[in-house]
Amino acid sequence: MATNAEIAGRFEEFADLLEADDVEYKPRAYRRAAEHVRGHPRPIADYVDDGDREAIEDIDGVGEAIADKIVEYVETGEIEELEELRAELPIDIADITRIEGVGPKTAGKLYRELGIETLDDLEEAAEAGEVQEVKGFGPKTEQNILENLEFAREVGQRQLLGEARPLADDVLAFLESVEAVERCEVAGSIRRWQETIGDVDVLVATEDGEAVIDAFRGWDSVDDEIESGPEKASVRVGEIRVDLRVVVPEEFGSALQYFTGSKDHNVSLRNYAIDRGMKLNEYGAFDVSNVEDEVAGQRVGERVAGETEAGMYEALGLEWIPPELRTDRGEIEAAANGELPDLLTREDVRGDLHSHTEWSDGNNTIEEMVDGAAAMGYDYYAVADHAEGPGIVGGMGLSDTEILEQVEQIREVDAASDIAVFAGIEANVDAEGEIDLSDEVIDALDVIVASTHSALDQDAETATDRLVRAIENPAIDVLGHPSGRLLNERSGLDFDATALGRAAAEHDTALEVNSNPRRLDLWGSAVQAAVEAGAPIAINTDAHQPSTLEYMRWGVHTARRGWAEADDVINTWELEKIREFLH
């Protein structure tokens, strides 16, 4: 069965090839459709199987023509129009556009002028000096291609949030030390706490842009300068690109709103403004109710906001919308009605219910992990090492006898600790949705997290049934990392998040947001579907050493992307309440 990600990938390729062919407007439509298809909480292929055409067209960004292509792809595995486009432009578009400065339009031009289809073709042409002979190129561009070929081949994927955000924090700390900087903040997907990001976007308010850019270029952490100009500069730090943009202080708020995105959020917000006689852009919010239609320009009308981001929303009568919610999933309507969620914060979290020790595949003792949890300020903490089962290799899983031995040790640590220590296990959900633990073990434990580690290639219907069956098991307290995905490595299970949410709500089983930055599973839209269904959520780190207890940061922001409030998350509850919830 075609997954949402697979369908979205076809539309992203469509957009790139159309742009390479100098087609206007259509690429944007396909990209918008791809984003909504990828983030849709239900498997879209199910709608095709059910003949529910209305549900497909109800997806944001999906009109009649794109819906036709979704049905065609799910039913045949191909989209005829895309196949024809591939034949006309036989370019490895994804590979080639990983080269810095080579976008779809550039890739199209290189194909038409030099017949370049692959990275190998591009390398051969650049080494022969042929690229610089193409109009609009030159020796510098050609050298840039040669210098970035290896990088393009190796990366091939977006950066994980957990890898990029610490760098963003370092960038901000450095810029805050620059005298000419008045205000600075990250923007783009990293400010929205998206699970993967393309680059780190940073915005600075200053009256001396040249001084800021010079300081940025001279930062000790910079490995390579990509480009520089009077208002922006781009550098590479390790494998991550950092883009800096400078604006005057009175336009910082509007620029921050604009460059934070997402594109869909901004489009909807601009349309909301237009309906109210307002115009929004990176320079401010303008009252254009008395402006003639033919008057053009970015700063037309009476400027009513722009210095602060909150002011941009206030100018429209809206509450400030947290960056995590800016995905065009109802946040503007909620802000207009005063119904935005009171999102949970890192400070709300009182404990962690999924972590590992040296008893299975962790690196530290029970005592060391508990000490780490106490240092986090937690009230309670659970050890949940691996049980034996499918997907657990190398003898890392504990037998029933070993689990009972560990429970005794955990009880001793609990008695000596200042925080409550729960005896738990991470059981394995097999292909049918069952776990293999004896009644004696189940009775001895405080918490059972059940996770999938195998059979991750099941179709969406089978996977959903499997996970619902696990949720219905009264022994299971938490369904751990439900999809089993590893970002940039494997997609994991595709499932109906709404169905999981309803089952979890009915059976009082928590759905996990696994905070490991390689997982972030559940993700924003799936958390939102679960929260709307009334399901309890658990945010856990899956920590394998004390330092990775800090992963909680990524899980909290992922849950915020799903509109989660503190009461939705069981490990924000007080000790007695969480004891009552656990099995």
Side-chain angles (χ1 to χ4, degrees):
M1 178 183 291
T3 65
N4 291 358
E6 189 178 338
I7 297 167
R10 300 293 80 76
F11 291 143
E12 288 163 349
E13 183 183 0
F14 232 129
D16 284 345
L17 289 173
L18 287 169
E19 190 172 341
D21 204 27
D22 290 330
V23 175
E24 296 186 11
Y25 307 118
K26 276 190 176 182
R28 180 178 176 183
Y30 279 115
R31 289 198 172 93
R32 184 170 189 269
E35 184 174 352
H36 285 290
V37 166
R38 187 182 298 279
H40 193 67
R42 288 198 60 186
I44 295 171
D46 286 353
Y47 297 146
V48 178
D49 292 343
D50 295 338
D52 193 350
R53 177 60 180 249
E54 183 177 350
I56 299 173
E57 294 188 14
D58 280 345
I59 299 169
D60 287 345
V62 176
E64 182 177 351
I66 290 180
D68 285 340
K69 292 178 174 61
I70 290 175
V71 173
E72 180 184 2
Y73 185 74
V74 172
E75 292 182 344
T76 70
E78 292 184 351
I79 301 174
E80 183 178 356
E81 189 176 337
L82 178 58
E83 294 301 320
E84 292 172 355
L85 195 53
R86 285 171 171 171
E88 294 171 9
L89 290 171
I91 308 170
D92 288 344
I93 195 77
D95 287 346
I96 290 178
T97 54
R98 288 181 189 132
I99 296 285
E100 294 290 349
V102 179
K105 287 183 178 294
T106 302
K109 188 171 186 178
L110 289 170
Y111 170 74
R112 287 187 290 272
E113 297 289 333
L114 301 175
I116 291 172
E117 298 179 8
T118 66
L119 283 175
D120 289 342
D121 293 342
L122 183 58
E123 182 176 29
E124 184 179 345
E127 287 179 342
E130 296 174 354
V131 172
Q132 64 179 286
E133 300 300 325
V134 177
K135 185 177 180 180
F137 291 73
K140 185 175 181 180
T141 302
E142 189 173 72
Q143 185 60 33
N144 177 70
I145 288 172
L146 289 169
E147 290 175 354
N148 284 281
L149 273 166
E150 183 178 356
F151 177 79
R153 286 191 174 107
E154 290 179 354
V155 177
Q157 299 286 349
R158 290 165 60 85
Q159 300 292 332
L160 299 182
L161 173 66
E163 296 172 352
R165 181 69 205 209
L167 170 60
D169 294 339
D170 290 344
V171 175
L172 291 177
F174 168 74
L175 289 171
E176 287 169 353
S177 72
V178 176
E179 185 177 355
V181 173
E182 297 188 22
R183 298 166 66 188
C184 62
E185 181 57 275
V186 292
S189 58
I190 202 165
R191 186 168 180 240
R192 302 194 309 273
W193 297 85
Q194 195 166 308
E195 58 221 26
T196 63
I197 62 104
D199 48 44
V200 174
D201 297 307
V202 187
L203 190 69
V204 165
T206 180
E207 297 286 3
D208 190 352
E210 183 178 355
V212 174
I213 288 176
D214 285 346
F216 176 65
R217 293 168 59 201
W219 183 30
D220 290 343
S221 296
V222 171
D223 294 314
D224 182 38
E225 181 179 325
I226 299 171
E227 59 184 351
S228 179
E231 297 179 346
K232 56 185 178 180
S234 299
V235 300
R236 190 175 305 288
V237 179
E239 295 184 341
I240 301 176
R241 174 175 174 141
V242 183
D243 294 331
L244 170 70
R245 184 179 296 267
V246 296
V247 300
V248 294
E250 57 266 30
E251 293 178 352
F252 181 77
S254 51
L256 182 60
Q257 192 286 316
Y258 179 85
F259 289 112
T260 293
S262 69
K263 290 182 180 178
D264 289 337
H265 172 81
N266 283 355
V267 168
S268 292
L269 192 66
R270 288 198 296 271
N271 289 337
Y272 187 89
I274 290 169
D275 291 342
R276 288 154 182 79
M278 300 284 288
K279 176 178 180 178
L280 298 186
N281 56 37
E282 62 191 277
Y283 306 106
F286 301 87
D287 184 343
V288 293
S289 57
N290 295 318
V291 175
E292 297 293 335
D293 291 342
E294 62 268 17
V295 178
Q298 294 294 325
R299 296 179 173 88
V300 172
E302 179 188 356
R303 188 173 187 269
V304 296
E307 186 173 351
T308 68
E309 186 180 57
M312 294 290 288
Y313 289 95
E314 289 171 3
L316 300 175
L318 300 174
E319 297 178 10
W320 176 78
I321 299 176
E324 295 98 325
L325 300 187
R326 299 179 197 175
T327 56
D328 198 26
R329 294 203 305 263
E331 68 275 9
I332 295 173
E333 180 181 0
N337 296 330
E339 297 175 350
L340 285 173
D342 182 14
L343 298 178
L344 85 155
T345 68
R346 174 65 187 81
E347 290 71 29
D348 291 323
V349 178
R350 295 174 179 266
D352 192 335
L353 302 175
H354 180 183
S355 66
H356 297 270
T357 74
E358 63 183 7
W359 279 68
S360 63
D361 61 341
N363 299 319
N364 296 81
T365 65
I366 296 172
E367 292 87 349
E368 288 168 340
M369 293 301 293
V370 170
D371 288 345
M376 298 285 288
Y378 289 153
D379 297 332
Y380 47 85
Y381 170 77
V383 173
D385 275 311
H386 287 288
E388 292 177 334
I392 303 301
V393 297
M396 293 185 298
L398 305 183
S399 66
D400 282 4
T401 299
E402 290 169 326
I403 293 171
L404 293 172
E405 291 175 357
Q406 189 190 51
V407 169
E408 292 182 7
Q409 185 171 338
I410 290 172
R411 300 299 182 214
E412 294 175 2
V413 174
D414 175 43
S417 177
D418 292 333
I419 66 173
V421 183
F422 297 143
I425 201 70
E426 184 180 11
N428 301 282
V429 178
D430 67 19
E432 285 72 44
E434 305 294 338
I435 61 171
D436 185 16
L437 294 175
S438 69
D439 290 343
E440 183 182 9
V441 165
I442 291 172
D443 290 341
L445 292 167
D446 301 313
V447 54
I448 295 177
V449 178
S451 310
T452 56
H453 296 97
S454 61
L456 300 180
D457 57 350
Q458 292 177 322
D459 63 70
E461 181 178 358
T462 302
T464 301
D465 289 345
R466 169 191 186 181
L467 296 175
V468 167
R469 193 173 298 115
I471 288 169
E472 293 171 345
N473 187 329
I476 295 173
D477 303 293
V478 179
L479 183 68
H481 52 73
S483 80
R485 75 177 184 180
L486 291 175
L487 291 167
N488 291 350
E489 296 178 43
R490 70 183 186 213
S491 59
L493 295 171
D494 190 10
F495 55 79
D496 183 338
T498 299
L500 258 63
R502 289 172 179 163
E506 180 180 353
H507 295 277
D508 275 340
T509 303
L511 300 180
E512 183 181 70
V513 175
N514 189 294
S515 303
N516 185 312
R518 294 177 62 232
R519 291 191 183 275
L520 298 184
D521 176 12
L522 296 170
W523 48 92
S525 61
V527 173
Q528 186 175 2
V531 167
E532 289 176 351
I537 302 295
I539 306 175
N540 299 319
T541 61
D542 200 354
H544 284 61
Q545 58 192 39
S547 63
T548 53
L549 291 168
E550 296 287 350
Y551 283 170
M552 187 61 69
R553 180 190 193 191
W554 317 125
V556 166
H557 282 284
T558 298
R560 284 168 62 92
R561 285 172 60 82
W563 298 53
E565 299 185 347
D567 285 346
D568 297 320
V569 178
I570 65 171
N571 47 313
T572 69
W573 299 349
E574 293 183 356
L575 178 59
E576 290 310 310
K577 185 175 180 180
I578 194 67
R579 283 192 192 277
E580 291 175 8
F581 176 85
L582 298 176
H583 85 285

